[in-house]
């Protein structure tokens, strides 16, 4: 796959993905106990998921995002990656990596599009800040 992201974009979007997911998990997992990874509470395996799965997922999604494409192609891409995310959730549930308590795959389906849009907006912000820094 051709790389469309610079090293600094790869790094900053990975850090953002980890931080954003950690903040969401602190509230939805640890505070409200709606879902979790492996066992209830924080454990080292949760950190492996954060560092081992989120950055590559974020990099693949953003690297292929059609920034110059038409609105319809952007929507299709978001829908495709929302479906990919739901498949990941399903497989993670079946393998025991993830468990749901008061959460549902429907909630995930509703959450993924805005999460992916936030990732795109974050990359746009990074690029904007980079342009300002150069001038």
């Amino acid at each position: 796959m051709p790389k469309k992201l610079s090293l600094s974009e790869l790094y900053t979007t990975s850090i953002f993905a980890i931080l954003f997911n950690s903040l969401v998990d602190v509230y939805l997992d640890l505070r409200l106990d709606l879902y979790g990874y492996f066992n209830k509470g924080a454990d080292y395996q949760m950190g492996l998921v954060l560092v081992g799965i989120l950055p590559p997922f974020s990099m693949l999604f953003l690297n292929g995002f059609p920034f110059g494409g038409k609105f319809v192609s952007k929507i299709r891409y978001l829908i495709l990656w929302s479906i990919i995310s739901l498949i990941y959730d399903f497989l993670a549930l079946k393998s025991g990596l993830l468990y749901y308590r008061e959460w549902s795959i429907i909630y995930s389906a509703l959450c993924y599009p805005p999460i992916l849009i936030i990732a795109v907006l974050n990359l746009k912000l990074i690029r904007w800040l980079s342009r300002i820094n150069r001038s």
Side-chain angles (χ1 to χ4, degrees), residues 30-74:
L30 300 176
R31 174 110 169 110
L32 298 177
D33 196 26
L34 298 177
Y35 63 82
Y37 301 98
F38 300 103
N39 304 304
K40 184 176 176 169
D43 52 25
Y44 74 91
Q45 294 109 328
M46 186 176 176
L48 295 175
V49 170
L50 286 173
V51 175
I53 295 174
L54 290 175
F57 182 88
S58 176
M59 289 176 201
L60 287 171
F61 167 71
L62 291 170
N63 192 56
F65 189 82
F67 285 99
K70 295 181 180 181
F71 182 73
V72 173
S73 64
K74 293 176 184 178

mmCIF file of all heavy atoms in Angstrom, residues 30-74:
data_model
loop_
_atom_site.group_PDB
_atom_site.id
_atom_site.type_symbol
_atom_site.label_atom_id
_atom_site.label_comp_id
_atom_site.label_asym_id
_atom_site.label_seq_id
_atom_site.Cartn_x
_atom_site.Cartn_y
_atom_site.Cartn_z
ATOM 1 N N LEU A 30 -13.926 1.452 32.601
ATOM 2 C CA LEU A 30 -13.550 1.416 34.019
ATOM 3 C C LEU A 30 -14.575 2.082 34.932
ATOM 4 O O LEU A 30 -14.830 1.607 36.033
ATOM 5 C CB LEU A 30 -12.176 2.056 34.193
ATOM 6 C CG LEU A 30 -11.038 1.372 33.420
ATOM 7 C CD1 LEU A 30 -9.741 2.142 33.594
ATOM 8 C CD2 LEU A 30 -10.897 -0.075 33.825
ATOM 9 N N ARG A 31 -15.174 3.166 34.510
ATOM 10 C CA ARG A 31 -16.123 3.882 35.371
ATOM 11 C C ARG A 31 -17.525 3.270 35.306
ATOM 12 O O ARG A 31 -18.139 2.997 36.320
ATOM 13 C CB ARG A 31 -16.161 5.349 34.974
ATOM 14 C CG ARG A 31 -17.183 6.181 35.670
ATOM 15 C CD ARG A 31 -16.548 7.137 36.625
ATOM 16 N NE ARG A 31 -17.516 8.108 37.097
ATOM 17 C CZ ARG A 31 -17.973 8.109 38.337
ATOM 18 N NH1 ARG A 31 -17.511 7.239 39.205
ATOM 19 N NH2 ARG A 31 -18.843 8.990 38.723
ATOM 20 N N LEU A 32 -18.039 3.085 34.084
ATOM 21 C CA LEU A 32 -19.409 2.603 33.927
ATOM 22 C C LEU A 32 -19.518 1.093 33.739
ATOM 23 O O LEU A 32 -20.619 0.544 33.803
ATOM 24 C CB LEU A 32 -20.082 3.307 32.739
ATOM 25 C CG LEU A 32 -20.225 4.827 32.864
ATOM 26 C CD1 LEU A 32 -20.830 5.410 31.607
ATOM 27 C CD2 LEU A 32 -21.049 5.193 34.090
ATOM 28 N N ASP A 33 -18.410 0.424 33.475
ATOM 29 C CA ASP A 33 -18.363 -1.024 33.290
ATOM 30 C C ASP A 33 -19.344 -1.503 32.212
ATOM 31 O O ASP A 33 -20.039 -2.503 32.378
ATOM 32 C CB ASP A 33 -18.622 -1.741 34.616
ATOM 33 C CG ASP A 33 -18.211 -3.204 34.571
ATOM 34 O OD1 ASP A 33 -17.326 -3.556 33.765
ATOM 35 O OD2 ASP A 33 -18.799 -3.997 35.335
ATOM 36 N N LEU A 34 -19.381 -0.763 31.081
ATOM 37 C CA LEU A 34 -20.253 -1.147 29.983
ATOM 38 C C LEU A 34 -19.646 -2.261 29.142
ATOM 39 O O LEU A 34 -20.367 -3.060 28.546
ATOM 40 C CB LEU A 34 -20.545 0.066 29.093
ATOM 41 C CG LEU A 34 -21.269 1.233 29.767
ATOM 42 C CD1 LEU A 34 -21.436 2.382 28.795
ATOM 43 C CD2 LEU A 34 -22.618 0.783 30.319
ATOM 44 N N TYR A 35 -18.334 -2.287 29.060
ATOM 45 C CA TYR A 35 -17.594 -3.297 28.310
ATOM 46 C C TYR A 35 -16.192 -3.329 28.870
ATOM 47 O O TYR A 35 -15.848 -2.557 29.766
ATOM 48 C CB TYR A 35 -17.555 -2.983 26.808
ATOM 49 C CG TYR A 35 -16.842 -1.694 26.488
ATOM 50 C CD1 TYR A 35 -15.462 -1.639 26.396
ATOM 51 C CD2 TYR A 35 -17.559 -0.526 26.288
ATOM 52 C CE1 TYR A 35 -14.805 -0.452 26.122
ATOM 53 C CE2 TYR A 35 -16.909 0.668 26.006
ATOM 54 C CZ TYR A 35 -15.537 0.696 25.922
ATOM 55 O OH TYR A 35 -14.895 1.863 25.658
ATOM 56 N N GLY A 36 -15.371 -4.210 28.358
ATOM 57 C CA GLY A 36 -13.993 -4.248 28.812
ATOM 58 C C GLY A 36 -13.167 -5.213 27.976
ATOM 59 O O GLY A 36 -13.690 -5.923 27.115
ATOM 60 N N TYR A 37 -11.883 -5.199 28.252
ATOM 61 C CA TYR A 37 -10.941 -6.098 27.591
ATOM 62 C C TYR A 37 -10.502 -7.170 28.578
ATOM 63 O O TYR A 37 -10.145 -6.861 29.714
ATOM 64 C CB TYR A 37 -9.713 -5.331 27.103
ATOM 65 C CG TYR A 37 -10.043 -4.232 26.124
ATOM 66 C CD1 TYR A 37 -10.160 -2.912 26.547
ATOM 67 C CD2 TYR A 37 -10.254 -4.518 24.786
ATOM 68 C CE1 TYR A 37 -10.468 -1.905 25.646
ATOM 69 C CE2 TYR A 37 -10.563 -3.520 23.885
ATOM 70 C CZ TYR A 37 -10.671 -2.210 24.324
ATOM 71 O OH TYR A 37 -10.982 -1.226 23.441
ATOM 72 N N PHE A 38 -10.543 -8.400 28.168
ATOM 73 C CA PHE A 38 -10.082 -9.548 28.951
ATOM 74 C C PHE A 38 -10.829 -9.670 30.266
ATOM 75 O O PHE A 38 -11.796 -10.381 30.363
ATOM 76 C CB PHE A 38 -8.569 -9.492 29.168
ATOM 77 C CG PHE A 38 -7.783 -9.492 27.894
ATOM 78 C CD1 PHE A 38 -7.220 -8.327 27.400
ATOM 79 C CD2 PHE A 38 -7.621 -10.660 27.175
ATOM 80 C CE1 PHE A 38 -6.511 -8.328 26.213
ATOM 81 C CE2 PHE A 38 -6.912 -10.679 25.981
ATOM 82 C CZ PHE A 38 -6.358 -9.503 25.502
ATOM 83 N N ASN A 39 -10.376 -8.961 31.307
ATOM 84 C CA ASN A 39 -10.974 -9.058 32.643
ATOM 85 C C ASN A 39 -11.436 -7.684 33.094
ATOM 86 O O ASN A 39 -10.965 -6.663 32.610
ATOM 87 C CB ASN A 39 -9.940 -9.583 33.641
ATOM 88 C CG ASN A 39 -9.358 -10.913 33.188
ATOM 89 O OD1 ASN A 39 -10.083 -11.870 32.960
ATOM 90 N ND2 ASN A 39 -8.050 -10.955 33.026
ATOM 91 N N LYS A 40 -12.315 -7.659 34.082
ATOM 92 C CA LYS A 40 -12.803 -6.395 34.613
ATOM 93 C C LYS A 40 -11.633 -5.602 35.210
ATOM 94 O O LYS A 40 -10.773 -6.155 35.879
ATOM 95 C CB LYS A 40 -13.866 -6.643 35.671
ATOM 96 C CG LYS A 40 -14.479 -5.368 36.195
ATOM 97 C CD LYS A 40 -15.597 -5.641 37.167
ATOM 98 C CE LYS A 40 -16.078 -4.307 37.708
ATOM 99 N NZ LYS A 40 -17.286 -4.393 38.447
ATOM 100 N N GLY A 41 -11.635 -4.291 34.947
ATOM 101 C CA GLY A 41 -10.584 -3.421 35.482
ATOM 102 C C GLY A 41 -9.434 -3.269 34.500
ATOM 103 O O GLY A 41 -9.432 -3.817 33.408
ATOM 104 N N ALA A 42 -8.450 -2.499 34.915
ATOM 105 C CA ALA A 42 -7.269 -2.243 34.083
ATOM 106 C C ALA A 42 -6.258 -3.373 34.275
ATOM 107 O O ALA A 42 -6.046 -3.841 35.386
ATOM 108 C CB ALA A 42 -6.646 -0.907 34.468
ATOM 109 N N ASP A 43 -5.672 -3.806 33.181
ATOM 110 C CA ASP A 43 -4.613 -4.801 33.255
ATOM 111 C C ASP A 43 -3.654 -4.585 32.084
ATOM 112 O O ASP A 43 -3.923 -3.796 31.187
ATOM 113 C CB ASP A 43 -5.167 -6.228 33.281
ATOM 114 C CG ASP A 43 -6.146 -6.516 32.160
ATOM 115 O OD1 ASP A 43 -6.080 -5.859 31.111
ATOM 116 O OD2 ASP A 43 -6.983 -7.412 32.326
ATOM 117 N N TYR A 44 -2.540 -5.285 32.115
ATOM 118 C CA TYR A 44 -1.518 -5.060 31.091
ATOM 119 C C TYR A 44 -1.998 -5.466 29.700
ATOM 120 O O TYR A 44 -1.586 -4.894 28.704
ATOM 121 C CB TYR A 44 -0.214 -5.781 31.449
ATOM 122 C CG TYR A 44 -0.254 -7.279 31.264
ATOM 123 C CD1 TYR A 44 0.124 -7.846 30.053
ATOM 124 C CD2 TYR A 44 -0.670 -8.118 32.287
ATOM 125 C CE1 TYR A 44 0.072 -9.218 29.867
ATOM 126 C CE2 TYR A 44 -0.724 -9.487 32.102
ATOM 127 C CZ TYR A 44 -0.349 -10.033 30.895
ATOM 128 O OH TYR A 44 -0.411 -11.377 30.710
ATOM 129 N N GLN A 45 -2.890 -6.452 29.616
ATOM 130 C CA GLN A 45 -3.385 -6.870 28.306
ATOM 131 C C GLN A 45 -4.131 -5.737 27.605
ATOM 132 O O GLN A 45 -4.076 -5.601 26.389
ATOM 133 C CB GLN A 45 -4.320 -8.081 28.421
ATOM 134 C CG GLN A 45 -3.641 -9.330 28.887
ATOM 135 C CD GLN A 45 -4.061 -9.688 30.306
ATOM 136 O OE1 GLN A 45 -4.347 -8.826 31.124
ATOM 137 N NE2 GLN A 45 -4.088 -10.974 30.596
ATOM 138 N N MET A 46 -4.815 -4.914 28.384
ATOM 139 C CA MET A 46 -5.524 -3.768 27.827
ATOM 140 C C MET A 46 -4.525 -2.825 27.157
ATOM 141 O O MET A 46 -4.794 -2.278 26.093
ATOM 142 C CB MET A 46 -6.300 -3.041 28.924
ATOM 143 C CG MET A 46 -7.183 -1.940 28.450
ATOM 144 S SD MET A 46 -8.094 -1.302 29.880
ATOM 145 C CE MET A 46 -8.956 0.038 29.127
ATOM 146 N N GLY A 47 -3.374 -2.647 27.773
ATOM 147 C CA GLY A 47 -2.326 -1.815 27.178
ATOM 148 C C GLY A 47 -1.813 -2.378 25.874
ATOM 149 O O GLY A 47 -1.507 -1.638 24.940
ATOM 150 N N LEU A 48 -1.736 -3.711 25.795
ATOM 151 C CA LEU A 48 -1.306 -4.342 24.543
ATOM 152 C C LEU A 48 -2.296 -4.071 23.415
ATOM 153 O O LEU A 48 -1.898 -3.853 22.267
ATOM 154 C CB LEU A 48 -1.122 -5.845 24.748
ATOM 155 C CG LEU A 48 -0.017 -6.272 25.714
ATOM 156 C CD1 LEU A 48 -0.041 -7.781 25.912
ATOM 157 C CD2 LEU A 48 1.330 -5.813 25.214
ATOM 158 N N VAL A 49 -3.576 -4.072 23.745
ATOM 159 C CA VAL A 49 -4.602 -3.758 22.745
ATOM 160 C C VAL A 49 -4.437 -2.314 22.288
ATOM 161 O O VAL A 49 -4.467 -2.018 21.090
ATOM 162 C CB VAL A 49 -6.019 -3.998 23.311
ATOM 163 C CG1 VAL A 49 -7.087 -3.454 22.373
ATOM 164 C CG2 VAL A 49 -6.248 -5.476 23.578
ATOM 165 N N LEU A 50 -4.255 -1.409 23.250
ATOM 166 C CA LEU A 50 -4.111 0.013 22.917
ATOM 167 C C LEU A 50 -2.926 0.264 21.999
ATOM 168 O O LEU A 50 -3.027 1.001 21.027
ATOM 169 C CB LEU A 50 -3.952 0.848 24.193
ATOM 170 C CG LEU A 50 -5.189 1.051 25.032
ATOM 171 C CD1 LEU A 50 -4.832 1.742 26.342
ATOM 172 C CD2 LEU A 50 -6.230 1.839 24.282
ATOM 173 N N VAL A 51 -1.797 -0.344 22.299
ATOM 174 C CA VAL A 51 -0.573 -0.089 21.545
ATOM 175 C C VAL A 51 -0.465 -0.984 20.310
ATOM 176 O O VAL A 51 0.054 -0.560 19.279
ATOM 177 C CB VAL A 51 0.657 -0.266 22.463
ATOM 178 C CG1 VAL A 51 1.949 -0.122 21.696
ATOM 179 C CG2 VAL A 51 0.605 0.744 23.596
ATOM 180 N N GLY A 52 -0.978 -2.203 20.386
ATOM 181 C CA GLY A 52 -0.790 -3.150 19.295
ATOM 182 C C GLY A 52 -1.854 -3.138 18.223
ATOM 183 O O GLY A 52 -1.593 -3.533 17.089
ATOM 184 N N ILE A 53 -3.059 -2.690 18.546
ATOM 185 C CA ILE A 53 -4.150 -2.739 17.580
ATOM 186 C C ILE A 53 -4.560 -1.354 17.082
ATOM 187 O O ILE A 53 -4.743 -1.148 15.886
ATOM 188 C CB ILE A 53 -5.372 -3.485 18.176
ATOM 189 C CG1 ILE A 53 -4.999 -4.947 18.411
ATOM 190 C CG2 ILE A 53 -6.592 -3.368 17.267
ATOM 191 C CD1 ILE A 53 -6.055 -5.755 19.109
ATOM 192 N N LEU A 54 -4.692 -0.400 17.983
ATOM 193 C CA LEU A 54 -5.197 0.921 17.589
ATOM 194 C C LEU A 54 -4.308 1.667 16.597
ATOM 195 O O LEU A 54 -4.818 2.170 15.590
ATOM 196 C CB LEU A 54 -5.449 1.786 18.822
ATOM 197 C CG LEU A 54 -6.616 1.347 19.683
ATOM 198 C CD1 LEU A 54 -6.705 2.183 20.935
ATOM 199 C CD2 LEU A 54 -7.898 1.415 18.909
ATOM 200 N N PRO A 55 -3.001 1.777 16.835
ATOM 201 C CA PRO A 55 -2.186 2.525 15.859
ATOM 202 C C PRO A 55 -2.216 1.948 14.445
ATOM 203 O O PRO A 55 -2.449 2.700 13.489
ATOM 204 C CB PRO A 55 -0.784 2.489 16.468
ATOM 205 C CG PRO A 55 -1.028 2.404 17.939
ATOM 206 C CD PRO A 55 -2.229 1.493 18.052
ATOM 207 N N PRO A 56 -2.039 0.628 14.261
ATOM 208 C CA PRO A 56 -2.120 0.118 12.883
ATOM 209 C C PRO A 56 -3.491 0.342 12.241
ATOM 210 O O PRO A 56 -3.592 0.694 11.070
ATOM 211 C CB PRO A 56 -1.825 -1.378 13.016
ATOM 212 C CG PRO A 56 -1.117 -1.519 14.312
ATOM 213 C CD PRO A 56 -1.623 -0.429 15.194
ATOM 214 N N PHE A 57 -4.550 0.153 13.019
ATOM 215 C CA PHE A 57 -5.911 0.380 12.528
ATOM 216 C C PHE A 57 -6.063 1.830 12.078
ATOM 217 O O PHE A 57 -6.558 2.106 10.982
ATOM 218 C CB PHE A 57 -6.908 0.050 13.648
ATOM 219 C CG PHE A 57 -8.338 0.194 13.258
ATOM 220 C CD1 PHE A 57 -9.021 -0.861 12.682
ATOM 221 C CD2 PHE A 57 -9.018 1.374 13.473
ATOM 222 C CE1 PHE A 57 -10.350 -0.739 12.321
ATOM 223 C CE2 PHE A 57 -10.341 1.519 13.125
ATOM 224 C CZ PHE A 57 -11.013 0.456 12.545
ATOM 225 N N SER A 58 -5.611 2.753 12.921
ATOM 226 C CA SER A 58 -5.689 4.184 12.610
ATOM 227 C C SER A 58 -4.874 4.523 11.368
ATOM 228 O O SER A 58 -5.326 5.270 10.490
ATOM 229 C CB SER A 58 -5.201 4.993 13.816
ATOM 230 O OG SER A 58 -5.168 6.357 13.526
ATOM 231 N N MET A 59 -3.674 3.977 11.278
ATOM 232 C CA MET A 59 -2.803 4.244 10.129
ATOM 233 C C MET A 59 -3.430 3.752 8.836
ATOM 234 O O MET A 59 -3.424 4.466 7.819
ATOM 235 C CB MET A 59 -1.446 3.562 10.322
ATOM 236 C CG MET A 59 -0.582 4.172 11.365
ATOM 237 S SD MET A 59 0.921 3.169 11.529
ATOM 238 C CE MET A 59 1.455 3.644 13.152
ATOM 239 N N LEU A 60 -3.964 2.540 8.842
ATOM 240 C CA LEU A 60 -4.591 1.987 7.639
ATOM 241 C C LEU A 60 -5.804 2.816 7.221
ATOM 242 O O LEU A 60 -5.982 3.126 6.042
ATOM 243 C CB LEU A 60 -5.003 0.531 7.870
ATOM 244 C CG LEU A 60 -3.883 -0.485 7.926
ATOM 245 C CD1 LEU A 60 -4.410 -1.844 8.383
ATOM 246 C CD2 LEU A 60 -3.204 -0.609 6.572
ATOM 247 N N PHE A 61 -6.638 3.164 8.187
ATOM 248 C CA PHE A 61 -7.830 3.957 7.890
ATOM 249 C C PHE A 61 -7.454 5.311 7.287
ATOM 250 O O PHE A 61 -7.965 5.689 6.233
ATOM 251 C CB PHE A 61 -8.678 4.148 9.151
ATOM 252 C CG PHE A 61 -9.736 5.206 8.996
ATOM 253 C CD1 PHE A 61 -10.837 4.964 8.187
ATOM 254 C CD2 PHE A 61 -9.618 6.431 9.621
ATOM 255 C CE1 PHE A 61 -11.816 5.946 8.022
ATOM 256 C CE2 PHE A 61 -10.587 7.407 9.462
ATOM 257 C CZ PHE A 61 -11.690 7.160 8.664
ATOM 258 N N LEU A 62 -6.574 6.030 7.950
ATOM 259 C CA LEU A 62 -6.228 7.373 7.490
ATOM 260 C C LEU A 62 -5.412 7.361 6.204
ATOM 261 O O LEU A 62 -5.551 8.263 5.373
ATOM 262 C CB LEU A 62 -5.483 8.134 8.588
ATOM 263 C CG LEU A 62 -6.344 8.492 9.803
ATOM 264 C CD1 LEU A 62 -5.477 9.033 10.937
ATOM 265 C CD2 LEU A 62 -7.419 9.495 9.423
ATOM 266 N N ASN A 63 -4.572 6.360 6.035
ATOM 267 C CA ASN A 63 -3.750 6.281 4.827
ATOM 268 C C ASN A 63 -4.611 6.132 3.568
ATOM 269 O O ASN A 63 -4.272 6.649 2.520
ATOM 270 C CB ASN A 63 -2.751 5.129 4.924
ATOM 271 C CG ASN A 63 -1.707 5.196 3.848
ATOM 272 O OD1 ASN A 63 -1.013 6.191 3.712
ATOM 273 N ND2 ASN A 63 -1.597 4.141 3.066
ATOM 274 N N GLY A 64 -5.722 5.448 3.691
ATOM 275 C CA GLY A 64 -6.581 5.228 2.536
ATOM 276 C C GLY A 64 -7.730 6.197 2.401
ATOM 277 O O GLY A 64 -8.494 6.131 1.434
ATOM 278 N N PHE A 65 -7.880 7.105 3.366
ATOM 279 C CA PHE A 65 -9.024 8.021 3.326
ATOM 280 C C PHE A 65 -8.956 8.903 2.082
ATOM 281 O O PHE A 65 -7.914 9.490 1.788
ATOM 282 C CB PHE A 65 -9.071 8.897 4.579
ATOM 283 C CG PHE A 65 -10.343 9.686 4.685
ATOM 284 C CD1 PHE A 65 -11.481 9.088 5.186
ATOM 285 C CD2 PHE A 65 -10.402 10.994 4.262
ATOM 286 C CE1 PHE A 65 -12.682 9.800 5.267
ATOM 287 C CE2 PHE A 65 -11.580 11.718 4.339
ATOM 288 C CZ PHE A 65 -12.728 11.120 4.843
ATOM 289 N N PRO A 66 -10.071 9.022 1.338
ATOM 290 C CA PRO A 66 -10.076 9.807 0.095
ATOM 291 C C PRO A 66 -10.237 11.311 0.356
ATOM 292 O O PRO A 66 -11.288 11.897 0.080
ATOM 293 C CB PRO A 66 -11.279 9.237 -0.663
ATOM 294 C CG PRO A 66 -12.213 8.791 0.415
ATOM 295 C CD PRO A 66 -11.329 8.311 1.545
ATOM 296 N N PHE A 67 -9.199 11.943 0.867
ATOM 297 C CA PHE A 67 -9.282 13.366 1.206
ATOM 298 C C PHE A 67 -9.693 14.220 0.010
ATOM 299 O O PHE A 67 -10.438 15.168 0.158
ATOM 300 C CB PHE A 67 -7.952 13.863 1.782
ATOM 301 C CG PHE A 67 -7.718 13.418 3.185
ATOM 302 C CD1 PHE A 67 -6.903 12.330 3.450
ATOM 303 C CD2 PHE A 67 -8.322 14.056 4.246
ATOM 304 C CE1 PHE A 67 -6.693 11.902 4.739
ATOM 305 C CE2 PHE A 67 -8.123 13.638 5.544
ATOM 306 C CZ PHE A 67 -7.306 12.555 5.795
ATOM 307 N N GLY A 68 -9.181 13.905 -1.169
ATOM 308 C CA GLY A 68 -9.506 14.688 -2.359
ATOM 309 C C GLY A 68 -10.739 14.186 -3.093
ATOM 310 O O GLY A 68 -11.125 14.762 -4.109
ATOM 311 N N GLY A 69 -11.361 13.145 -2.589
ATOM 312 C CA GLY A 69 -12.507 12.542 -3.264
ATOM 313 C C GLY A 69 -13.803 13.290 -3.016
ATOM 314 O O GLY A 69 -13.872 14.231 -2.220
ATOM 315 N N LYS A 70 -14.820 12.833 -3.708
ATOM 316 C CA LYS A 70 -16.150 13.410 -3.556
ATOM 317 C C LYS A 70 -16.739 13.007 -2.213
ATOM 318 O O LYS A 70 -16.308 12.044 -1.590
ATOM 319 C CB LYS A 70 -17.064 12.934 -4.692
ATOM 320 C CG LYS A 70 -16.622 13.430 -6.042
ATOM 321 C CD LYS A 70 -17.571 12.945 -7.120
ATOM 322 C CE LYS A 70 -17.096 13.453 -8.462
ATOM 323 N NZ LYS A 70 -17.967 13.049 -9.545
ATOM 324 N N PHE A 71 -17.750 13.749 -1.788
ATOM 325 C CA PHE A 71 -18.409 13.509 -0.508
ATOM 326 C C PHE A 71 -18.936 12.077 -0.426
ATOM 327 O O PHE A 71 -18.802 11.416 0.602
ATOM 328 C CB PHE A 71 -19.546 14.523 -0.311
ATOM 329 C CG PHE A 71 -20.257 14.387 0.994
ATOM 330 C CD1 PHE A 71 -19.661 14.791 2.176
ATOM 331 C CD2 PHE A 71 -21.530 13.835 1.047
ATOM 332 C CE1 PHE A 71 -20.309 14.654 3.388
ATOM 333 C CE2 PHE A 71 -22.195 13.696 2.250
ATOM 334 C CZ PHE A 71 -21.582 14.110 3.428
ATOM 335 N N VAL A 72 -19.505 11.586 -1.514
ATOM 336 C CA VAL A 72 -20.067 10.229 -1.535
ATOM 337 C C VAL A 72 -18.973 9.194 -1.300
ATOM 338 O O VAL A 72 -19.189 8.217 -0.566
ATOM 339 C CB VAL A 72 -20.802 9.967 -2.875
ATOM 340 C CG1 VAL A 72 -21.230 8.521 -2.993
ATOM 341 C CG2 VAL A 72 -21.992 10.890 -3.007
ATOM 342 N N SER A 73 -17.808 9.389 -1.894
ATOM 343 C CA SER A 73 -16.723 8.420 -1.692
ATOM 344 C C SER A 73 -16.229 8.452 -0.244
ATOM 345 O O SER A 73 -15.852 7.416 0.303
ATOM 346 C CB SER A 73 -15.574 8.659 -2.676
ATOM 347 O OG SER A 73 -14.966 9.901 -2.455
ATOM 348 N N LYS A 74 -16.254 9.615 0.377
ATOM 349 C CA LYS A 74 -15.864 9.716 1.792
ATOM 350 C C LYS A 74 -16.860 8.986 2.681
ATOM 351 O O LYS A 74 -16.461 8.270 3.613
ATOM 352 C CB LYS A 74 -15.745 11.185 2.197
ATOM 353 C CG LYS A 74 -14.597 11.894 1.516
ATOM 354 C CD LYS A 74 -14.576 13.364 1.857
ATOM 355 C CE LYS A 74 -13.464 14.047 1.062
ATOM 356 N NZ LYS A 74 -13.412 15.484 1.308
#
